[in-house]
Amino acid sequence: MQQGKVLVLHGPNLNLLGTRQPEIYGYDTLDDVNNLLREKAVMAGWEITCLQSNHEGALIDAIHAARVDGTQAIIINPAAYTHTSVAILDALNAFDGQVIEVHLSNVHKRESFRHHSYVSLRADGVIAGLGVQGYKAALEAVMAASHQ
């Protein structure tokens, strides 16, 4: 029995996860992250879709589709678009479900430009600095919220 539907969005350069600055982002690959989330979701009876794109419009199109396809929640790591994309914020503002923002690193310990997030203006929760475990925590939060 399906419990719910969640969309996981990964922003630009996250396709390089595991090989790009592993001292900051860790050694787990994007496939590792997606497989962890899929396993957890399937075991709990949830449908999950994971999408990575280096293109802002593709992420926005996925958010628009989530508005009408039964998606209850979006977990998003907007990566560099965190600090620049009003367009992603506007798309998320048009989505009625839960939104959890995830960052692998603690953005508040990094360069000052990383301290501002447009996405946080819409997010119901923000998880930063837990590495890959942040995604897992986000999925757990989404599933728990569905039972309240």
Side-chain angles (χ1 to χ4, degrees):
M1 178 179 183
Q2 182 179 324
Q3 298 294 314
K5 186 173 180 178
V6 63
L7 172 64
V8 180
L9 295 176
H10 308 282
N13 299 311
L14 287 169
N15 55 304
L16 302 176
L17 198 57
T19 61
R20 175 182 167 248
Q21 296 178 285
E23 67 281 1
I24 295 174
Y25 301 111
Y27 290 92
D28 290 304
T29 67
L30 192 59
D31 283 341
D32 294 335
V33 172
N34 290 338
N35 290 336
L36 170 79
L37 294 174
R38 281 188 191 105
E39 181 179 310
K40 186 163 191 59
V42 168
M43 287 179 57
W46 280 69
E47 180 182 340
I48 190 166
T49 302
C50 300
L51 170 72
Q52 186 279 328
S53 182
N54 295 317
H55 305 282
E56 186 178 35
L59 298 169
I60 292 167
D61 287 345
I63 295 166
H64 289 180
R67 295 180 65 224
V68 297
D69 71 2
T71 297
Q72 282 95 354
I74 295 174
I75 297 169
I76 182 169
N77 181 343
Y81 290 137
T82 302
H83 325 291
T84 64
S85 184
V86 173
I88 289 175
L89 170 62
D90 287 348
L92 289 169
N93 279 334
F95 176 74
D96 291 331
Q98 188 177 19
V99 175
I100 306 290
E101 179 181 357
V102 174
H103 298 284
L104 295 163
S105 68
N106 181 351
V107 293
H108 301 289
K109 287 179 72 174
R110 300 187 61 200
E111 304 93 336
S112 62
F113 74 87
R114 296 185 193 276
H115 299 177
H116 178 265
S117 169
Y118 284 103
V119 172
S120 291
L121 296 171
R122 168 55 181 91
D124 298 297
V126 179
I127 300 170
L130 298 181
V132 169
Q133 293 304 311
Y135 283 101
K136 183 179 171 189
L139 182 58
E140 289 170 356
V142 163
M143 292 189 298
S146 75
H147 295 295
Q148 295 178 356

